[in-house]
């Protein structure tokens, strides 16, 4: 009995060490061949019209979310998480946010997390590097050294063994001063950028066209799908919290993912949602990755 317990204990340890983002099967799979269902505007948490999420970033990570998108702005020299402007919504400093992500990485050694930062104010790479260093998270960040083709991405297991468990993309880096801030549009295509009025408010998510960068094709690139719904109030589009359960249901997300897969012959790499705590985000992620 005692030796059986010992063996079970060893097996458990072995299994734990061979698990990547919760699934053994993902250890040998290339990062570029994995679907991540992530949170759009992950830092804007609350019940106001400017919010996109109900739960904190720490809770999103606990839920199993491994792809976080966040908007950065320059607030008097501080890199701040603000919604369009810091007067509209100020969710605190990027440093405070990164400290939360680091806390998660520190205590979850078999997990890889991706950040997609937007840089609407053109903040310099060195300023971002300063924030990553102040948060103590820079040593986790993955630097490929060059632009990777789809087939060149490491597996999750390789990222975990190397201790480089944070992948950082930025939509518009101001420069290439920081080796771990990866230019989103050399490797990812945004599809579709939900700024066109009729696509944001159409609950059927009828399209998966590539619109950023303009004229680009998904061929040879990872691609991102925006799956969040707005509603119009007094002529302004705001996140549709009331529809979250429907928008984030497996049937709604999978319908758009299948539409995309039909066009591009492989599943989306990233699907981002508002109100990710509602609905079937992680179940859909598992289904698209063929894991249970
Ligand atoms: C509305 O959607 C249609 C079909 O997806 C598209 O062709 C058209 O360009 C869109 N209009 C706007 C204003 O985005
Ligand atoms: C991963 O590869 C499999 C097999 O080719 C494919 O069916 C799936 O769509 C790919 N997923 C992604 C995200 O590339």
């Amino acid at each position: 009995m005692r030796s059986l317990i010992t063996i079970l204990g060893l097996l458990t340890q072995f299994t734990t060490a061979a698990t990547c983002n919760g699934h053994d099967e993902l250890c040998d799979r290339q990062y570029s061949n994995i679907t991540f269902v992530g949170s759009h505007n992950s830092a804007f948490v609350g019940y106001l019209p400017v919010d996109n999420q109900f739960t904190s970033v720490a809770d999103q990570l606990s839920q199993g979310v491994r792809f976080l998108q966040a908007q950065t702005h320059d607030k008097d020299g501080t890199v701040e998480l603000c919604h369009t402007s810091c007067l509209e919504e100020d969710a605190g400093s990027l440093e405070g946010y990164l400290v939360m992500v680091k806390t998660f990485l520190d205590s979850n050694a078999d997990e890889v997390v991706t950040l997609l930062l937007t840089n609407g104010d053109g903040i310099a790479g060195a300023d971002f590097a300063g924030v990553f260093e102040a948060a103590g998270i820079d040593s986790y960040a993955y630097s490929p050294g060059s632009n990777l083709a789809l087939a060149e991405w490491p597996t999750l297991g390789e990222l975990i063994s190397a201790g480089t468990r944070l992948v950082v993309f930025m939509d518009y880096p101001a420069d290439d001063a920081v080796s771990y801030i990866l230019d989103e549009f050399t490797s990812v295509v945004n599809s579709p950028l939900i700024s066109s009025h009729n696509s944001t408010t159409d609950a059927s998510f009828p399209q998966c066209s590539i619109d950023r960068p303009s004229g680009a094709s998904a061929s040879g690139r990872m691609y991102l799908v925006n799956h969040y719904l707005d509603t119009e109030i007094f002529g302004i589009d705001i996140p549709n919290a009331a529809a979250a359960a429907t928008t984030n249901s497996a049937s709604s997300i999978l319908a758009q993912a299948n539409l995309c897969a039909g066009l591009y012959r492989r599943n989306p790499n990233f699907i981002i949602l508002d109100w990710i705590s509602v609905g079937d985000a992680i179940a859909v992620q598992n289904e698209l990755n063929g894991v249970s």
Side-chain angles (χ1 to χ4, degrees):
M1 191 62 199
R2 181 138 171 216
S3 59
L4 180 62
I5 289 170
T6 310
I7 288 169
L8 284 176
L10 285 172
L11 281 176
T12 311
Q13 274 182 13
F14 181 77
T15 312
T16 306
T19 292
C20 301
N21 284 22
H23 301 280
D24 308 10
E25 306 94 307
L26 296 183
C27 290
D28 292 331
R29 200 170 307 173
Q30 285 177 295
Y31 177 89
S32 52
N33 185 222
I34 296 172
T35 298
F36 296 89
V37 179
S39 65
H40 171 237
N41 282 340
S42 57
F44 303 141
V45 177
Y47 293 85
L48 296 173
V50 290
D51 290 320
N52 300 83
Q53 301 296 336
F54 290 129
T55 55
S56 69
V57 168
D59 287 347
Q60 292 168 34
L61 288 164
S62 303
Q63 184 194 339
V65 177
R66 297 291 175 266
F67 184 94
L68 305 168
Q69 185 260 329
Q71 235 185 75
T72 70
H73 289 277
D74 177 355
K75 186 184 183 186
D76 307 323
T78 301
V79 186
E80 197 84 352
L81 301 172
C82 299
H83 205 163
T84 315
S85 91
C86 292
L87 294 174
E88 186 175 316
E89 176 159 19
D90 182 345
S93 68
L94 176 63
E95 183 181 332
Y97 177 98
L98 291 179
V99 166
M100 282 191 287
V101 176
K102 179 183 184 286
T103 301
F104 174 83
L105 289 171
D106 285 346
S107 47
N108 295 277
D110 299 326
E111 301 288 332
V112 175
V113 172
T114 302
L115 295 180
L116 169 56
L117 301 177
T118 65
N119 183 25
D121 293 345
I123 298 169
D127 293 342
F128 280 103
V131 173
F132 275 70
E133 284 156 25
I137 204 173
D138 54 307
S139 56
Y140 279 122
Y142 171 62
S143 303
S146 60
N147 290 335
L148 300 179
L150 268 185
E152 291 171 341
W153 279 85
T155 63
L156 277 200
E158 286 165 345
L159 288 169
I160 289 168
S161 308
T164 49
R165 298 188 285 112
L166 182 72
V167 179
V168 184
F169 293 107
M170 184 173 284
D171 62 345
Y172 298 112
D175 50 61
D176 58 6
V178 188
S179 63
Y180 55 80
I181 296 185
L182 314 183
D183 187 338
E184 177 189 357
F185 296 121
T186 59
S187 46
V188 188
V189 175
N190 241 13
S191 135
L193 175 65
I194 303 281
S195 55
S196 67
H197 183 73
N198 62 351
S199 53
T200 42
T201 53
D202 186 339
S204 71
F205 294 94
Q207 55 158 324
C208 190
S209 56
I210 303 296
D211 68 351
R212 276 209 295 176
S214 64
S217 100
S219 170
R221 300 184 185 198
M222 295 189 277
Y223 70 98
L224 179 148
V225 175
N226 294 300
H227 188 88
Y228 44 84
L229 189 68
D230 282 352
T231 187
E232 193 195 306
I233 295 194
F234 306 122
I236 299 169
D237 283 357
I238 64 161
N240 191 336
T246 318
T247 307
N248 295 351
S249 67
S251 63
S252 176
I253 304 170
L254 288 172
Q256 193 183 17
N258 291 336
L259 177 71
C260 300
L263 292 171
Y264 307 126
R265 301 286 148 217
R266 57 199 153 78
N267 290 332
N269 297 85
F270 312 111
I271 302 173
I272 56 175
L273 309 178
D274 283 335
W275 323 115
I276 197 162
S277 54
V278 178
D280 304 322
I282 302 304
V284 167
Q285 176 174 284
N286 290 342
E287 175 156 350
L288 291 173
N289 287 327
V291 299
S292 49

